Amino acid sequence: MKEWYDAIQEAQSVERLEEIRISVFGKKGVLAAEFVKMKKAPNEEKAKIAKDLNMHKSNLMNEFTARKITLQTQELQEAMKAEAIDVSLFSTSSSSGALHPVMETMDRIVEYFSSMNFAVKTGQIVEDDFNNFEALNLPKYHPARDMQDTFYFKDEMLLRTHTSPVQIRTMMSTKPPIRMIAPGAVFRRDYDLTHTPMFHQVEGLLVDEEGKVSFANLKYILEDFLKYMFGDVEVRFRPSFFPFTEPSAEVDISCVFCSGKGCRVCSKTGWLEVLGCGIVDPNVFAAVKYENVSGYAFGLGVERFAMLIHQIGDLRSLFEGDIKLLEQFQ
Ligand code: PHE
């Protein structure tokens, strides 16, 4: 029997101990065999042998249990040591979110005009005819309304087609002077390579006493702004038409893809149109009951800016939520 006491003491793993348990206490184990042998012993010795065997059985069981607890504790401690996590280590890879390129571009635009003391106004997305059209010198049946195919609700309300109604709301509720921008979503019934039903604009408006605001002021700030956004580009103003400004201009920058040499993106012209602007039309001031004032206004599409800054080819990719595209902007 001594060898089994030694075996239990020497067992180095719970697994080994289990093998010993089967060899000692199992149906075909050492103890069972001894009890079988005992039956063949002379009667007068049987009682002593049985007593001996039972004593060993219970001692071995105690040894076994004690050893098992020791080994289990040891194994647990080793496992905990091996699997320990050092929470102070830096992680090797981490993925964090990032601003969508449109929002990042919008933030940059807001940053520029905030630094120039323009207040940020948000207005509202569901507008009425007066603020979106009428007060902006776009009376009913004016052909220019067709330029902005509109989503209408039943009760004469509509989804704003541009951020210009925020100018009207601001002038209706505040006295001049005014220096504001309005960033936000706008909606038009349009969907193709270069148009999506929802996109973002930033509107700008500056109003001061009559004679104080000139086209030169507008030209200066827009040139400075476009250089801030696009770096060292050339800027040109082309005469254009908007119902709410007179005179009006569209603003181009030299193509950021070919530096003005002429390529596919700029249709070989070397120029990219990025802004609409002008001197506020007197009819607009009349609609909001402003007198003896002058002002300028401008409007731009944020998606277009984002596409030109990040050289994104297809406008629609900005709205598909494709993780492969977005990951490039982390
Ligand atoms: N509201 C015009 C548009 O959506 C942009 C614009 C704003 C033009 C202000 C001139 C002045 O196209």
Side-chain angles (χ1 to χ4, degrees):
M1 281 296 151
K2 177 167 182 310
E3 67 201 273
W4 293 106
Y5 287 93
D6 292 345
I8 289 174
Q9 278 323 307
E10 282 156 18
Q12 291 306 319
S13 68
V14 175
E15 206 184 345
R16 171 77 192 116
L17 201 60
E18 180 61 12
E19 286 168 16
I20 297 169
R21 188 188 64 79
I22 293 165
S23 312
V24 177
F25 303 103
K27 262 191 208 151
K28 293 174 187 164
V30 202
L31 283 167
E34 289 296 323
F35 278 110
V36 171
K37 253 198 258 166
M38 176 196 76
K39 284 180 187 148
K40 289 176 191 153
N43 275 343
E44 60 276 17
E45 284 174 30
K46 267 188 189 161
K48 186 181 174 302
I49 296 174
K51 201 179 153 203
D52 253 25
L53 281 177
N54 279 324
M55 182 201 73
H56 282 305
K57 189 178 172 183
S58 116
N59 286 350
L60 280 165
M61 190 46 97
N62 288 343
E63 294 283 326
F64 171 82
T65 311
R67 184 72 189 145
K68 190 170 174 185
I69 291 168
T70 311
L71 286 176
Q72 273 175 340
T73 315
Q74 236 172 50
E75 281 180 14
L76 181 66
Q77 266 161 4
E78 270 160 28
M80 290 208 303
K81 218 181 192 173
E83 291 161 24
I85 293 166
D86 182 349
V87 291
S88 69
L89 282 179
F90 287 108
S91 83
T92 46
S93 73
S94 72
S95 65
S96 59
L99 278 178
H100 189 279
V102 171
M103 290 301 128
E104 181 236 29
T105 305
M106 186 117 106
D107 283 357
R108 257 174 75 78
I109 297 169
V110 170
E111 192 177 274
Y112 175 84
F113 286 105
S114 298
S115 80
M116 292 295 188
N117 262 332
F118 282 70
V120 178
K121 307 274 181 189
T122 45
Q124 55 192 65
I125 280 168
V126 176
E127 267 297 358
D128 55 29
D129 194 86
F130 175 79
N131 286 290
N132 195 79
F133 291 127
E134 197 79 31
L136 287 159
N137 200 27
L138 276 140
K140 283 225 161 57
Y141 311 114
H142 191 289
R145 285 206 187 197
D146 289 349
M147 281 159 59
Q148 311 190 354
D149 221 343
T150 313
F151 288 106
Y152 283 100
F153 296 102
K154 280 196 197 112
D155 48 2
E156 295 264 307
M157 298 298 278
L158 49 88
L159 288 175
R160 68 179 180 199
T161 58
H162 48 179
T163 38
S164 303
V166 187
Q167 303 186 13
I168 302 300
R169 285 189 177 273
T170 307
M171 288 192 282
M172 295 287 275
S173 61
T174 354
K175 282 194 194 132
I178 286 180
R179 222 178 154 90
M180 58 149 274
I181 53 164
V186 301
F187 304 82
R188 293 183 195 179
R189 290 173 51 172
D190 240 340
Y191 190 56
D192 60 33
L193 256 162
T194 51
H195 299 87
T196 48
M198 188 277 296
F199 60 102
H200 298 82
Q201 288 190 331
V202 176
E203 182 88 4
L205 173 72
L206 183 139
V207 181
D208 211 324
E209 283 165 32
E210 188 154 24
K212 270 204 173 173
V213 184
S214 70
F215 206 98
N217 301 149
L218 174 63
K219 192 161 181 270
Y220 175 82
I221 195 164
L222 290 182
E223 270 176 10
D224 189 52
F225 163 63
L226 290 171
K227 290 197 159 115
Y228 176 81
M229 293 303 289
F230 294 104
D232 194 17
V233 288
E234 279 183 56
V235 179
R236 78 171 182 191
F237 285 66
R238 264 183 303 110
S240 183
F241 173 79
F242 296 103
F244 26 88
T245 45
E246 182 60 36
S248 305
E250 272 169 337
V251 184
D252 300 338
I253 55 169
S254 51
C255 180
V256 290
F257 293 90
C258 63
S259 311
K261 286 191 206 74
C263 67
R264 206 165 47 89
V265 184
C266 60
S267 312
K268 301 255 181 324
T269 62
W271 295 96
L272 297 163
E273 184 201 320
V274 289
L275 266 166
C277 67
I279 295 296
V280 180
D281 193 291
N283 287 344
V284 175
F285 286 140
V288 298
K289 304 195 168 62
Y290 268 20
E291 279 169 3
N292 307 323
V293 289
S294 56
Y296 65 63
F298 56 87
L300 64 91
V302 183
E303 277 76 4
R304 182 152 174 82
F305 271 57
M307 286 172 73
L308 296 178
I309 289 168
H310 296 294
Q311 317 223 326
I312 298 167
D314 183 348
L315 169 67
R316 288 172 294 193
S317 64
L318 288 174
F319 298 100
E320 279 163 0
D322 181 352
I323 209 85
K324 283 209 188 91
L325 178 104
L326 295 175
E327 272 169 356
Q328 298 172 46
F329 298 100
Q330 279 184 354

